[in-house]
Structures are given as C-alpha cells and as structure tokens.
Amino acid sequence: MVEDDAVLISAIQQGDEDAMAQLVRRYYDEILRYIYRLGSPYEEAKDLTQETFVAMLQALPAYKEQGTFKAWLYRIARNRAMIYVTRTRRSVEFTDEHDSLHQVSDLEDQFSDRSDVQELLASLPAKQRDALILKYYHGFTAKEIATITKTTVPAVKSRLFQGLQKLRKRAKGVME
C-alpha cells in the first residue's frame, strides 16, 4: 500500500527511517529526470539529486504543508540545479546517452519529431524552458509551477505561452 506523502512526512519527523527511504524512492527518478532536463550533465544530475534529498531531509523537521510536498521538493531540486548551472555557466546539452531518463511528454506529442524537442527546449530562455518542463514532463499546474519557481501564476502562464510559441516557430523552421 502506497502511503500518502503527509503520512510519510509525519513518520519521518518522528524518526522513521523506513518512511524516509520510501519517500526518497517515490521521488528519486523524477527529480533526477527534472534536474537532468534543466541542463545538468548526467553524473552531476545524480549528485544534485542526492543533494536535493539531503536538503529535503534537513528541512523536513520544520516543513509545514503549504501547497503540495511534491512542489516543495521540486523547488529544492530547482534551486540546486540553478546554482549548479549558474556556477558552471554550462550550456544545456541533451544527449541520447541516458535514454532511461527520457519519457515521452505531452509536449513531445505536439511535435512530429521528438528528437528535436530537447534541442528546441535547450534553445529557450531558462525561465520558459523550466516552466515547460514542469508542465509537460512533470504535470504540474500553473499554480504549482509558480510555487516551485517563486513567481506568480500570470508569469507562469506567460512563460508557458511564450515558450510554446517559440517552440512552434522554431520547430517549423527545423522541419522546413
């Protein structure tokens, strides 16, 4: 039986290590995929994922539910990834080397050639790319994305709209 996040968090706050392991297992793969999509090389994405869970465990004793736990965890992951990208000033590169991190998204379904989607995403400004990844790969609502990215719902909606417009425009150029 899969326990709900709030039950696991409560158990972790009371020192239950099995609950901690279960919560980490529940979110590890999707946090790894998210950090990787934000532009971290695979090995660094694994390290940043570990750092995300360490930070989560450190912050969990003071955690108060305001929105979803998942959105709170993604905000921690995003902060870790953005610090890395800013610190290294690396450009985003997606490779086929780690196909296990790839899952078809609603976004890719909108384009005829899925292999171009990662390249097109990489060409977007970071804020638009982040909003699109959170929406179409991870299924967050605009409100949850606003919480994760510490911005407003209208700003998220604008980033999604503008990002999709740019993707469509660039995809049209790639297909011609």
Side-chain angles (χ1 to χ4, degrees), residues 113 116 119-120 169-176:
D113 188 354
D116 289 333
E119 187 177 323
L120 291 168
K169 183 177 178 182
R170 291 175 183 168
K172 195 174 191 179
V174 168
M175 291 186 239
E176 292 177 347

Side-chain angles (χ1 to χ4, degrees), residues 67-111:
T68 66
F69 168 78
K70 186 176 178 179
W72 180 76
L73 180 60
Y74 268 74
R75 186 172 56 227
I76 294 170
R78 180 181 183 277
N79 290 343
R80 297 280 175 218
M82 291 298 111
I83 289 168
Y84 171 79
V85 170
T86 302
R87 185 179 67 225
T88 60
R89 306 246 190 268
R90 296 180 73 98
S91 60
V92 178
E93 278 185 41
F94 296 100
T95 65
D96 295 332
E97 179 183 356
H98 302 286
D99 286 333
S100 65
L101 295 178
H102 185 73
Q103 64 189 48
V104 176
S105 73
D106 294 340
L107 185 61
E108 291 173 334
D109 286 340
Q110 295 180 31
F111 294 90

Side-chain angles (χ1 to χ4, degrees), residues 117-161:
V117 173
Q118 293 297 336
E119 187 177 323
L120 291 168
L121 273 173
S123 71
L124 291 177
K127 290 178 180 180
Q128 291 172 359
R129 179 177 60 246
D130 194 18
L132 290 169
I133 288 169
L134 287 167
K135 170 77 175 161
Y136 293 103
Y137 283 94
H138 299 280
F140 285 105
T141 65
K143 184 178 179 182
E144 291 169 324
I145 295 169
T147 300
I148 293 167
T149 60
K150 293 185 180 178
T151 191
T152 64
V153 172
V156 168
K157 289 180 178 181
S158 175
R159 290 172 185 171
L160 290 169
F161 178 78

